[in-house]
Amino acid sequence: MTVGLSASATYLALLGIAVVTSVVTAVASWRYYERTGGRAFGVLTGAVALWVLADLTGLLSRTLFQAMVAQRVTYFAISVVPVAWVVLAFRYVGRPGMVNRRRVVLMCLVPAATLLVSLTNDLHHLLWRVHGISQDGVMTTVVSTSGPWFWVHTLYSYGLLAVGAGVFVNWSLRTRDAYRSQSVAVLAAVALPWAANVAYVTGLVSVPADVTPLVFPVTCVLLWIGLFHYRFLDVVPVARDRVVEEMREGVVVLDDRDKVVDANPAARRLLRPDEIVGRHMDSVFNAESVDRFGDVVEGRGRIAVDREDGTWHFEVRISPLSVDAGERVVIFHDVTEEERHRERLAEQTAELERQNERLDRFASVLSHDLRNPLAVARGWTDVLAEDEVNEDALERVHNAHDRIDTIVDDTLALARSGTDPELEPVALDELARRAWESVESGGRVEPGGRLDVDAGVVVMADPDRTMRLFENLFRNAVEHAGSDVEVTVGLLDGREDPHADGELDGGSVGFFVADDGPGVDEDDRDAVFEYGVSGDGGGTGLGLAIVRDVAEEHGWTVDLESTESGGARFAVRGLVPAERETPL
């Protein structure tokens, strides 16, 4: 073959450009090594670079030995390209099982045989028969004829290329426009050099030399477009048909220009019925969504979308798809029912608050309407006490009035229970004395009755409700131990509290109210806090139940225990000291 000097120089110059472009592409491709199909892509571009470089080296060699070494390297690289191409194709479309390790090894058998045949070709000439070299200026070519293994190698390579191309074509026909552009770029990148090779090998087109390596600059440009313009290794639809298409959540992929490059059926159903791939996010999402999440790279939140069938609520999660490319994945989860349930719950809560207000007004009216005639009855009872009347009957009337007064107080306390207490610093000893004075002024305590208070601590509590707790405990002591009862109020600590191990839990404090009465049997202690249980003292059956409610509303606990002398001791635990309270 004779090629003019100017044609040879031009050919070598173009081949040099192909070498530089192929090497640059091979080096750049390894940045995608850890991504899906990245390894196969790196092997493919590396083999292409080696092929072109070896071809250029062979053309610039000055001896037959140098040219044959370069030709053997060229065949090795050419044998690797089809295998890497098939592996890339299957992994890229989400079918890695088709190219598992065993199948890749089987695909490499023919290329390995080709390498072995090329190294031992001088013994059998199965790959080529060399007749010499031809030198035209600076370009050296090997003059040879093809052997039978050359056609085995060629047909096998074409077969693998056809399989890979078929995989991409089939995937391209089933995918959307965004991915179809990617596959076209990749297919064109591989088709061009192999079309040139077919033309050279079969002689269908008259060319002075093998122009296959010359088209690799175009191949590299197409691969570059597929890699960086369409980012086909950044937005890979691996297992898309198996997972994303069946997801109930809407999935939308945005590129670095906020253009929708992919969306699953759920996203199209939730956002709008027509095709959204290829549109800018401004034409897909409503204004509220764009304002809240348009510049968010990673985050989550909720949005409301007005549709013809009502207002829909979505939980939105945004995640970066790649570290430096700017793509984002937006996932929509329908929380409409949850939001509607929350709205219904809020309406029910508001209705309960209105009912509580009505109940509180009812209790206030009940208290007012009963206390007025009760005060009149008490006044006339005092008048009768000045005359000579049956003192026993008068005492019974007076006790009945006290009982009515207690029922009114307990009913009012029950009606207002269940709401959050209004906490403020309260001195326990002062509150206990005031409660005792209230019970004492009601005529419940005889001159022999006495209160001993040793509880000098300030805690966070609702003063009105805590006073009610003390009053009910004192009344209980009077009802069950007599009007001359002796009551003790003191603080609990780790030494005298059987429920504490050295100190009370979390730095809290506790107190007790003890009397010198007969106490309560251990088997009956839990029942005294139930509604309607009054024992033998003639109480309302509400007092200790209210004590339990007040304690629980504050987050305290109350237990009925026994003193050393056998009397009743009510221990209240879990109070927070005022100096430990941290303001919000």
mmCIF file of all heavy atoms in Angstrom, residues 81-128:
data_model
loop_
_atom_site.group_PDB
_atom_site.id
_atom_site.type_symbol
_atom_site.label_atom_id
_atom_site.label_comp_id
_atom_site.label_asym_id
_atom_site.label_seq_id
_atom_site.Cartn_x
_atom_site.Cartn_y
_atom_site.Cartn_z
ATOM 1 N N VAL A 81 -12.434 -4.238 24.165
ATOM 2 C CA VAL A 81 -13.501 -3.255 23.929
ATOM 3 C C VAL A 81 -14.891 -3.893 23.858
ATOM 4 O O VAL A 81 -15.823 -3.425 24.534
ATOM 5 C CB VAL A 81 -13.197 -2.439 22.659
ATOM 6 C CG1 VAL A 81 -14.418 -1.609 22.234
ATOM 7 C CG2 VAL A 81 -12.013 -1.517 22.901
ATOM 8 N N PRO A 82 -15.139 -4.957 23.059
ATOM 9 C CA PRO A 82 -16.502 -5.522 22.982
ATOM 10 C C PRO A 82 -17.009 -6.054 24.323
ATOM 11 O O PRO A 82 -18.189 -5.898 24.653
ATOM 12 C CB PRO A 82 -16.361 -6.636 21.943
ATOM 13 C CG PRO A 82 -15.154 -6.285 21.154
ATOM 14 C CD PRO A 82 -14.232 -5.642 22.128
ATOM 15 N N VAL A 83 -16.124 -6.700 25.108
ATOM 16 C CA VAL A 83 -16.547 -7.240 26.406
ATOM 17 C C VAL A 83 -16.947 -6.100 27.340
ATOM 18 O O VAL A 83 -17.998 -6.152 28.008
ATOM 19 C CB VAL A 83 -15.420 -8.091 27.026
ATOM 20 C CG1 VAL A 83 -15.830 -8.569 28.416
ATOM 21 C CG2 VAL A 83 -15.085 -9.272 26.133
ATOM 22 N N ALA A 84 -16.119 -5.058 27.417
ATOM 23 C CA ALA A 84 -16.442 -3.914 28.276
ATOM 24 C C ALA A 84 -17.734 -3.234 27.825
ATOM 25 O O ALA A 84 -18.536 -2.768 28.653
ATOM 26 C CB ALA A 84 -15.284 -2.912 28.268
ATOM 27 N N TRP A 85 -17.967 -3.217 26.529
ATOM 28 C CA TRP A 85 -19.170 -2.592 25.988
ATOM 29 C C TRP A 85 -20.434 -3.329 26.437
ATOM 30 O O TRP A 85 -21.415 -2.719 26.854
ATOM 31 C CB TRP A 85 -19.062 -2.546 24.472
ATOM 32 C CG TRP A 85 -20.316 -2.195 23.745
ATOM 33 C CD1 TRP A 85 -21.000 -2.974 22.877
ATOM 34 C CD2 TRP A 85 -21.033 -0.968 23.823
ATOM 35 N NE1 TRP A 85 -22.099 -2.325 22.397
ATOM 36 C CE2 TRP A 85 -22.149 -1.080 22.975
ATOM 37 C CE3 TRP A 85 -20.857 0.207 24.519
ATOM 38 C CZ2 TRP A 85 -23.069 -0.062 22.805
ATOM 39 C CZ3 TRP A 85 -21.780 1.233 24.369
ATOM 40 C CH2 TRP A 85 -22.851 1.084 23.511
ATOM 41 N N VAL A 86 -20.413 -4.667 26.375
ATOM 42 C CA VAL A 86 -21.567 -5.461 26.788
ATOM 43 C C VAL A 86 -21.824 -5.293 28.285
ATOM 44 O O VAL A 86 -22.963 -5.140 28.731
ATOM 45 C CB VAL A 86 -21.354 -6.948 26.436
ATOM 46 C CG1 VAL A 86 -22.450 -7.805 27.058
ATOM 47 C CG2 VAL A 86 -21.342 -7.133 24.922
ATOM 48 N N VAL A 87 -20.758 -5.344 29.094
ATOM 49 C CA VAL A 87 -20.914 -5.180 30.542
ATOM 50 C C VAL A 87 -21.500 -3.810 30.861
ATOM 51 O O VAL A 87 -22.413 -3.680 31.693
ATOM 52 C CB VAL A 87 -19.564 -5.374 31.255
ATOM 53 C CG1 VAL A 87 -19.691 -5.053 32.745
ATOM 54 C CG2 VAL A 87 -19.062 -6.800 31.063
ATOM 55 N N LEU A 88 -21.007 -2.764 30.210
ATOM 56 C CA LEU A 88 -21.535 -1.415 30.428
ATOM 57 C C LEU A 88 -23.014 -1.343 30.064
ATOM 58 O O LEU A 88 -23.822 -0.751 30.802
ATOM 59 C CB LEU A 88 -20.740 -0.408 29.593
ATOM 60 C CG LEU A 88 -21.285 1.022 29.574
ATOM 61 C CD1 LEU A 88 -21.263 1.635 30.969
ATOM 62 C CD2 LEU A 88 -20.485 1.887 28.596
ATOM 63 N N ALA A 89 -23.386 -1.955 28.948
ATOM 64 C CA ALA A 89 -24.773 -1.875 28.486
ATOM 65 C C ALA A 89 -25.726 -2.503 29.497
ATOM 66 O O ALA A 89 -26.733 -1.888 29.897
ATOM 67 C CB ALA A 89 -24.902 -2.561 27.127
ATOM 68 N N PHE A 90 -25.443 -3.718 29.946
ATOM 69 C CA PHE A 90 -26.354 -4.399 30.876
ATOM 70 C C PHE A 90 -26.386 -3.718 32.240
ATOM 71 O O PHE A 90 -27.443 -3.602 32.867
ATOM 72 C CB PHE A 90 -25.960 -5.872 31.013
ATOM 73 C CG PHE A 90 -26.468 -6.742 29.895
ATOM 74 C CD1 PHE A 90 -25.600 -7.266 28.952
ATOM 75 C CD2 PHE A 90 -27.824 -7.026 29.794
ATOM 76 C CE1 PHE A 90 -26.066 -8.062 27.920
ATOM 77 C CE2 PHE A 90 -28.308 -7.830 28.768
ATOM 78 C CZ PHE A 90 -27.429 -8.351 27.823
ATOM 79 N N ARG A 91 -25.236 -3.288 32.734
ATOM 80 C CA ARG A 91 -25.242 -2.617 34.032
ATOM 81 C C ARG A 91 -25.942 -1.264 33.968
ATOM 82 O O ARG A 91 -26.624 -0.856 34.904
ATOM 83 C CB ARG A 91 -23.802 -2.447 34.536
ATOM 84 C CG ARG A 91 -23.160 -3.761 34.939
ATOM 85 C CD ARG A 91 -21.843 -3.527 35.670
ATOM 86 N NE ARG A 91 -21.263 -4.795 36.100
ATOM 87 C CZ ARG A 91 -21.596 -5.424 37.213
ATOM 88 N NH1 ARG A 91 -22.503 -4.889 38.024
ATOM 89 N NH2 ARG A 91 -21.024 -6.568 37.536
ATOM 90 N N TYR A 92 -25.792 -0.578 32.868
ATOM 91 C CA TYR A 92 -26.398 0.739 32.727
ATOM 92 C C TYR A 92 -27.919 0.676 32.740
ATOM 93 O O TYR A 92 -28.587 1.522 33.344
ATOM 94 C CB TYR A 92 -25.902 1.382 31.436
ATOM 95 C CG TYR A 92 -26.613 2.678 31.103
ATOM 96 C CD1 TYR A 92 -26.492 3.784 31.943
ATOM 97 C CD2 TYR A 92 -27.386 2.792 29.960
ATOM 98 C CE1 TYR A 92 -27.131 4.957 31.648
ATOM 99 C CE2 TYR A 92 -28.029 3.976 29.666
ATOM 100 C CZ TYR A 92 -27.895 5.052 30.503
ATOM 101 O OH TYR A 92 -28.529 6.219 30.203
ATOM 102 N N VAL A 93 -28.519 -0.333 32.090
ATOM 103 C CA VAL A 93 -29.977 -0.415 32.012
ATOM 104 C C VAL A 93 -30.571 -1.160 33.196
ATOM 105 O O VAL A 93 -31.777 -1.436 33.217
ATOM 106 C CB VAL A 93 -30.423 -1.085 30.695
ATOM 107 C CG1 VAL A 93 -29.930 -0.302 29.502
ATOM 108 C CG2 VAL A 93 -29.948 -2.541 30.629
ATOM 109 N N GLY A 94 -29.750 -1.490 34.199
ATOM 110 C CA GLY A 94 -30.290 -2.094 35.418
ATOM 111 C C GLY A 94 -30.455 -3.600 35.355
ATOM 112 O O GLY A 94 -31.298 -4.153 36.053
ATOM 113 N N ARG A 95 -29.609 -4.300 34.572
ATOM 114 C CA ARG A 95 -29.672 -5.761 34.492
ATOM 115 C C ARG A 95 -28.290 -6.351 34.759
ATOM 116 O O ARG A 95 -27.712 -7.045 33.916
ATOM 117 C CB ARG A 95 -30.184 -6.189 33.121
ATOM 118 C CG ARG A 95 -31.586 -5.673 32.805
ATOM 119 C CD ARG A 95 -31.980 -5.977 31.370
ATOM 120 N NE ARG A 95 -32.047 -7.402 31.133
ATOM 121 C CZ ARG A 95 -32.255 -7.943 29.922
ATOM 122 N NH1 ARG A 95 -32.400 -7.144 28.875
ATOM 123 N NH2 ARG A 95 -32.313 -9.249 29.769
ATOM 124 N N PRO A 96 -27.720 -6.092 35.942
ATOM 125 C CA PRO A 96 -26.367 -6.584 36.230
ATOM 126 C C PRO A 96 -26.278 -8.093 36.308
ATOM 127 O O PRO A 96 -25.187 -8.657 36.155
ATOM 128 C CB PRO A 96 -26.044 -5.934 37.592
ATOM 129 C CG PRO A 96 -27.389 -5.694 38.221
ATOM 130 C CD PRO A 96 -28.313 -5.367 37.081
ATOM 131 N N GLY A 97 -27.396 -8.772 36.555
ATOM 132 C CA GLY A 97 -27.363 -10.224 36.610
ATOM 133 C C GLY A 97 -26.973 -10.865 35.296
ATOM 134 O O GLY A 97 -26.486 -12.009 35.271
ATOM 135 N N MET A 98 -27.178 -10.166 34.192
ATOM 136 C CA MET A 98 -26.820 -10.710 32.879
ATOM 137 C C MET A 98 -25.314 -10.723 32.661
ATOM 138 O O MET A 98 -24.825 -11.404 31.750
ATOM 139 C CB MET A 98 -27.505 -9.901 31.769
ATOM 140 C CG MET A 98 -29.016 -9.970 31.804
ATOM 141 S SD MET A 98 -29.622 -11.644 31.538
ATOM 142 C CE MET A 98 -29.065 -11.943 29.865
ATOM 143 N N VAL A 99 -24.584 -9.961 33.437
ATOM 144 C CA VAL A 99 -23.122 -9.903 33.273
ATOM 145 C C VAL A 99 -22.466 -10.171 34.624
ATOM 146 O O VAL A 99 -21.619 -9.401 35.085
ATOM 147 C CB VAL A 99 -22.676 -8.552 32.687
ATOM 148 C CG1 VAL A 99 -22.981 -8.466 31.209
ATOM 149 C CG2 VAL A 99 -23.354 -7.387 33.424
ATOM 150 N N ASN A 100 -22.861 -11.278 35.261
ATOM 151 C CA ASN A 100 -22.206 -11.655 36.508
ATOM 152 C C ASN A 100 -20.792 -12.145 36.223
ATOM 153 O O ASN A 100 -20.350 -12.236 35.072
ATOM 154 C CB ASN A 100 -23.022 -12.713 37.252
ATOM 155 C CG ASN A 100 -23.300 -13.936 36.389
ATOM 156 O OD1 ASN A 100 -22.502 -14.295 35.518
ATOM 157 N ND2 ASN A 100 -24.445 -14.556 36.610
ATOM 158 N N ARG A 101 -20.074 -12.474 37.270
ATOM 159 C CA ARG A 101 -18.661 -12.818 37.117
ATOM 160 C C ARG A 101 -18.463 -14.030 36.213
ATOM 161 O O ARG A 101 -17.559 -14.046 35.362
ATOM 162 C CB ARG A 101 -18.053 -13.080 38.493
ATOM 163 C CG ARG A 101 -16.570 -13.443 38.440
ATOM 164 C CD ARG A 101 -15.988 -13.545 39.829
ATOM 165 N NE ARG A 101 -16.120 -12.276 40.536
ATOM 166 C CZ ARG A 101 -15.673 -12.081 41.783
ATOM 167 N NH1 ARG A 101 -15.103 -13.081 42.436
ATOM 168 N NH2 ARG A 101 -15.817 -10.908 42.363
ATOM 169 N N ARG A 102 -19.323 -15.026 36.351
ATOM 170 C CA ARG A 102 -19.168 -16.241 35.543
ATOM 171 C C ARG A 102 -19.340 -15.931 34.052
ATOM 172 O O ARG A 102 -18.556 -16.404 33.215
ATOM 173 C CB ARG A 102 -20.180 -17.282 35.996
ATOM 174 C CG ARG A 102 -20.161 -18.573 35.178
ATOM 175 C CD ARG A 102 -21.123 -19.595 35.778
ATOM 176 N NE ARG A 102 -21.197 -20.789 34.964
ATOM 177 C CZ ARG A 102 -22.036 -20.945 33.941
ATOM 178 N NH1 ARG A 102 -22.868 -19.954 33.623
ATOM 179 N NH2 ARG A 102 -22.052 -22.064 33.245
ATOM 180 N N ARG A 103 -20.342 -15.132 33.719
ATOM 181 C CA ARG A 103 -20.583 -14.822 32.310
ATOM 182 C C ARG A 103 -19.499 -13.926 31.726
ATOM 183 O O ARG A 103 -19.147 -14.031 30.546
ATOM 184 C CB ARG A 103 -21.956 -14.177 32.163
ATOM 185 C CG ARG A 103 -23.094 -15.166 32.428
ATOM 186 C CD ARG A 103 -24.442 -14.519 32.323
ATOM 187 N NE ARG A 103 -25.505 -15.505 32.521
ATOM 188 C CZ ARG A 103 -26.803 -15.217 32.550
ATOM 189 N NH1 ARG A 103 -27.194 -13.955 32.411
ATOM 190 N NH2 ARG A 103 -27.693 -16.175 32.726
ATOM 191 N N VAL A 104 -18.975 -13.013 32.544
ATOM 192 C CA VAL A 104 -17.879 -12.170 32.054
ATOM 193 C C VAL A 104 -16.650 -13.020 31.752
ATOM 194 O O VAL A 104 -15.955 -12.814 30.744
ATOM 195 C CB VAL A 104 -17.560 -11.073 33.082
ATOM 196 C CG1 VAL A 104 -16.287 -10.316 32.694
ATOM 197 C CG2 VAL A 104 -18.725 -10.103 33.204
ATOM 198 N N VAL A 105 -16.387 -14.004 32.617
ATOM 199 C CA VAL A 105 -15.252 -14.906 32.373
ATOM 200 C C VAL A 105 -15.459 -15.673 31.066
ATOM 201 O O VAL A 105 -14.523 -15.820 30.261
ATOM 202 C CB VAL A 105 -15.076 -15.872 33.557
ATOM 203 C CG1 VAL A 105 -14.064 -16.955 33.214
ATOM 204 C CG2 VAL A 105 -14.625 -15.113 34.798
ATOM 205 N N LEU A 106 -16.678 -16.148 30.843
ATOM 206 C CA LEU A 106 -16.951 -16.867 29.593
ATOM 207 C C LEU A 106 -16.785 -15.955 28.380
ATOM 208 O O LEU A 106 -16.251 -16.385 27.335
ATOM 209 C CB LEU A 106 -18.373 -17.444 29.626
ATOM 210 C CG LEU A 106 -18.604 -18.582 30.636
ATOM 211 C CD1 LEU A 106 -20.072 -19.004 30.627
ATOM 212 C CD2 LEU A 106 -17.706 -19.779 30.322
ATOM 213 N N MET A 107 -17.221 -14.698 28.502
ATOM 214 C CA MET A 107 -17.068 -13.770 27.379
ATOM 215 C C MET A 107 -15.603 -13.472 27.090
ATOM 216 O O MET A 107 -15.243 -13.103 25.964
ATOM 217 C CB MET A 107 -17.814 -12.458 27.674
ATOM 218 C CG MET A 107 -19.320 -12.544 27.497
ATOM 219 S SD MET A 107 -20.104 -10.909 27.553
ATOM 220 C CE MET A 107 -19.800 -10.436 29.244
ATOM 221 N N CYS A 108 -14.756 -13.600 28.098
ATOM 222 C CA CYS A 108 -13.338 -13.289 27.913
ATOM 223 C C CYS A 108 -12.535 -14.452 27.327
ATOM 224 O O CYS A 108 -11.334 -14.297 27.052
ATOM 225 C CB CYS A 108 -12.719 -12.882 29.252
ATOM 226 S SG CYS A 108 -13.294 -11.279 29.870
ATOM 227 N N LEU A 109 -13.161 -15.606 27.138
ATOM 228 C CA LEU A 109 -12.417 -16.763 26.627
ATOM 229 C C LEU A 109 -11.881 -16.512 25.216
ATOM 230 O O LEU A 109 -10.705 -16.795 24.935
ATOM 231 C CB LEU A 109 -13.308 -18.010 26.650
ATOM 232 C CG LEU A 109 -13.677 -18.550 28.046
ATOM 233 C CD1 LEU A 109 -14.568 -19.782 27.914
ATOM 234 C CD2 LEU A 109 -12.416 -18.866 28.846
ATOM 235 N N VAL A 110 -12.737 -16.019 24.320
ATOM 236 C CA VAL A 110 -12.288 -15.760 22.948
ATOM 237 C C VAL A 110 -11.227 -14.664 22.911
ATOM 238 O O VAL A 110 -10.187 -14.809 22.232
ATOM 239 C CB VAL A 110 -13.478 -15.441 22.038
ATOM 240 C CG1 VAL A 110 -12.985 -14.998 20.646
ATOM 241 C CG2 VAL A 110 -14.379 -16.661 21.901
ATOM 242 N N PRO A 111 -11.420 -13.503 23.613
ATOM 243 C CA PRO A 111 -10.336 -12.506 23.634
ATOM 244 C C PRO A 111 -9.033 -13.062 24.195
ATOM 245 O O PRO A 111 -7.945 -12.731 23.697
ATOM 246 C CB PRO A 111 -10.900 -11.394 24.525
ATOM 247 C CG PRO A 111 -12.379 -11.502 24.368
ATOM 248 C CD PRO A 111 -12.637 -12.976 24.250
ATOM 249 N N ALA A 112 -9.120 -13.922 25.239
ATOM 250 C CA ALA A 112 -7.892 -14.510 25.777
ATOM 251 C C ALA A 112 -7.230 -15.425 24.744
ATOM 252 O O ALA A 112 -5.995 -15.436 24.605
ATOM 253 C CB ALA A 112 -8.212 -15.288 27.051
ATOM 254 N N ALA A 113 -8.050 -16.176 24.026
ATOM 255 C CA ALA A 113 -7.503 -17.028 22.969
ATOM 256 C C ALA A 113 -6.863 -16.192 21.871
ATOM 257 O O ALA A 113 -5.817 -16.568 21.316
ATOM 258 C CB ALA A 113 -8.606 -17.916 22.402
ATOM 259 N N THR A 114 -7.502 -15.050 21.552
ATOM 260 C CA THR A 114 -6.932 -14.158 20.522
ATOM 261 C C THR A 114 -5.568 -13.647 20.962
ATOM 262 O O THR A 114 -4.633 -13.580 20.152
ATOM 263 C CB THR A 114 -7.880 -12.981 20.270
ATOM 264 O OG1 THR A 114 -9.138 -13.490 19.808
ATOM 265 C CG2 THR A 114 -7.304 -12.044 19.225
ATOM 266 N N LEU A 115 -5.447 -13.266 22.241
ATOM 267 C CA LEU A 115 -4.147 -12.803 22.739
ATOM 268 C C LEU A 115 -3.112 -13.923 22.639
ATOM 269 O O LEU A 115 -1.961 -13.696 22.219
ATOM 270 C CB LEU A 115 -4.297 -12.328 24.187
ATOM 271 C CG LEU A 115 -3.012 -11.882 24.884
ATOM 272 C CD1 LEU A 115 -2.395 -10.692 24.147
ATOM 273 C CD2 LEU A 115 -3.280 -11.536 26.340
ATOM 274 N N LEU A 116 -3.503 -15.155 23.022
ATOM 275 C CA LEU A 116 -2.569 -16.289 22.948
ATOM 276 C C LEU A 116 -2.181 -16.585 21.506
ATOM 277 O O LEU A 116 -0.994 -16.823 21.201
ATOM 278 C CB LEU A 116 -3.210 -17.519 23.589
ATOM 279 C CG LEU A 116 -2.366 -18.807 23.588
ATOM 280 C CD1 LEU A 116 -1.077 -18.590 24.391
ATOM 281 C CD2 LEU A 116 -3.173 -19.969 24.169
ATOM 282 N N VAL A 117 -3.152 -16.536 20.584
ATOM 283 C CA VAL A 117 -2.865 -16.795 19.170
ATOM 284 C C VAL A 117 -1.940 -15.736 18.600
ATOM 285 O O VAL A 117 -1.021 -16.033 17.815
ATOM 286 C CB VAL A 117 -4.176 -16.875 18.369
ATOM 287 C CG1 VAL A 117 -3.895 -16.883 16.864
ATOM 288 C CG2 VAL A 117 -4.970 -18.117 18.760
ATOM 289 N N SER A 118 -2.153 -14.466 19.024
ATOM 290 C CA SER A 118 -1.290 -13.400 18.503
ATOM 291 C C SER A 118 0.139 -13.544 18.995
ATOM 292 O O SER A 118 1.086 -13.233 18.255
ATOM 293 C CB SER A 118 -1.860 -12.038 18.916
ATOM 294 O OG SER A 118 -1.743 -11.836 20.321
ATOM 295 N N LEU A 119 0.316 -14.001 20.229
ATOM 296 C CA LEU A 119 1.671 -14.161 20.765
ATOM 297 C C LEU A 119 2.411 -15.331 20.122
ATOM 298 O O LEU A 119 3.642 -15.318 20.024
ATOM 299 C CB LEU A 119 1.599 -14.366 22.286
ATOM 300 C CG LEU A 119 1.091 -13.166 23.108
ATOM 301 C CD1 LEU A 119 0.963 -13.541 24.580
ATOM 302 C CD2 LEU A 119 2.018 -11.971 22.946
ATOM 303 N N THR A 120 1.645 -16.352 19.670
ATOM 304 C CA THR A 120 2.274 -17.546 19.057
ATOM 305 C C THR A 120 2.007 -17.617 17.564
ATOM 306 O O THR A 120 2.135 -18.689 16.959
ATOM 307 C CB THR A 120 1.729 -18.814 19.736
ATOM 308 O OG1 THR A 120 0.301 -18.869 19.560
ATOM 309 C CG2 THR A 120 2.045 -18.799 21.232
ATOM 310 N N ASN A 121 1.631 -16.515 16.965
ATOM 311 C CA ASN A 121 1.219 -16.526 15.556
ATOM 312 C C ASN A 121 2.329 -17.005 14.633
ATOM 313 O O ASN A 121 2.061 -17.623 13.593
ATOM 314 C CB ASN A 121 0.771 -15.135 15.140
ATOM 315 C CG ASN A 121 0.229 -15.106 13.718
ATOM 316 O OD1 ASN A 121 -0.881 -15.557 13.456
ATOM 317 N ND2 ASN A 121 1.037 -14.611 12.790
ATOM 318 N N ASP A 122 3.606 -16.743 14.993
ATOM 319 C CA ASP A 122 4.711 -17.146 14.116
ATOM 320 C C ASP A 122 4.804 -18.658 13.974
ATOM 321 O O ASP A 122 5.421 -19.156 13.020
ATOM 322 C CB ASP A 122 6.032 -16.604 14.672
ATOM 323 C CG ASP A 122 6.089 -15.084 14.617
ATOM 324 O OD1 ASP A 122 5.292 -14.495 13.860
ATOM 325 O OD2 ASP A 122 6.897 -14.485 15.367
ATOM 326 N N LEU A 123 4.154 -19.415 14.868
ATOM 327 C CA LEU A 123 4.206 -20.867 14.807
ATOM 328 C C LEU A 123 3.127 -21.456 13.915
ATOM 329 O O LEU A 123 3.307 -22.532 13.335
ATOM 330 C CB LEU A 123 4.087 -21.462 16.220
ATOM 331 C CG LEU A 123 5.169 -21.042 17.223
ATOM 332 C CD1 LEU A 123 4.871 -21.636 18.597
ATOM 333 C CD2 LEU A 123 6.541 -21.476 16.725
ATOM 334 N N HIS A 124 1.945 -20.735 13.822
ATOM 335 C CA HIS A 124 0.813 -21.337 13.100
ATOM 336 C C HIS A 124 0.149 -20.382 12.116
ATOM 337 O O HIS A 124 -0.630 -20.821 11.264
ATOM 338 C CB HIS A 124 -0.241 -21.817 14.105
ATOM 339 C CG HIS A 124 -0.514 -20.813 15.195
ATOM 340 N ND1 HIS A 124 -1.145 -19.618 14.956
ATOM 341 C CD2 HIS A 124 -0.198 -20.845 16.520
ATOM 342 C CE1 HIS A 124 -1.244 -18.951 16.102
ATOM 343 N NE2 HIS A 124 -0.658 -19.671 17.072
ATOM 344 N N HIS A 125 0.395 -19.123 12.223
ATOM 345 C CA HIS A 125 -0.161 -18.115 11.306
ATOM 346 C C HIS A 125 -1.696 -18.162 11.252
ATOM 347 O O HIS A 125 -2.291 -17.945 10.195
ATOM 348 C CB HIS A 125 0.411 -18.298 9.892
ATOM 349 C CG HIS A 125 1.898 -18.248 9.860
ATOM 350 N ND1 HIS A 125 2.627 -17.109 10.109
ATOM 351 C CD2 HIS A 125 2.816 -19.259 9.613
ATOM 352 C CE1 HIS A 125 3.928 -17.369 10.017
ATOM 353 N NE2 HIS A 125 4.074 -18.677 9.725
ATOM 354 N N LEU A 126 -2.334 -18.454 12.382
ATOM 355 C CA LEU A 126 -3.806 -18.489 12.407
ATOM 356 C C LEU A 126 -4.425 -17.101 12.391
ATOM 357 O O LEU A 126 -5.569 -16.931 11.934
ATOM 358 C CB LEU A 126 -4.285 -19.240 13.663
ATOM 359 C CG LEU A 126 -3.999 -20.746 13.708
ATOM 360 C CD1 LEU A 126 -4.447 -21.329 15.045
ATOM 361 C CD2 LEU A 126 -4.727 -21.442 12.552
ATOM 362 N N LEU A 127 -3.681 -16.102 12.884
ATOM 363 C CA LEU A 127 -4.243 -14.752 12.962
ATOM 364 C C LEU A 127 -3.864 -13.925 11.737
ATOM 365 O O LEU A 127 -4.705 -13.226 11.169
ATOM 366 C CB LEU A 127 -3.772 -14.061 14.240
ATOM 367 C CG LEU A 127 -4.492 -12.769 14.617
ATOM 368 C CD1 LEU A 127 -5.988 -12.985 14.744
ATOM 369 C CD2 LEU A 127 -3.937 -12.209 15.928
ATOM 370 N N TRP A 128 -2.612 -14.001 11.336
ATOM 371 C CA TRP A 128 -2.154 -13.296 10.142
ATOM 372 C C TRP A 128 -0.894 -13.977 9.608
ATOM 373 O O TRP A 128 -0.221 -14.742 10.302
ATOM 374 C CB TRP A 128 -1.889 -11.820 10.443
ATOM 375 C CG TRP A 128 -0.811 -11.609 11.495
ATOM 376 C CD1 TRP A 128 0.527 -11.830 11.343
ATOM 377 C CD2 TRP A 128 -1.003 -11.187 12.845
ATOM 378 N NE1 TRP A 128 1.201 -11.580 12.496
ATOM 379 C CE2 TRP A 128 0.283 -11.157 13.451
ATOM 380 C CE3 TRP A 128 -2.112 -10.824 13.599
ATOM 381 C CZ2 TRP A 128 0.476 -10.794 14.771
ATOM 382 C CZ3 TRP A 128 -1.908 -10.449 14.894
ATOM 383 C CH2 TRP A 128 -0.645 -10.431 15.493
#
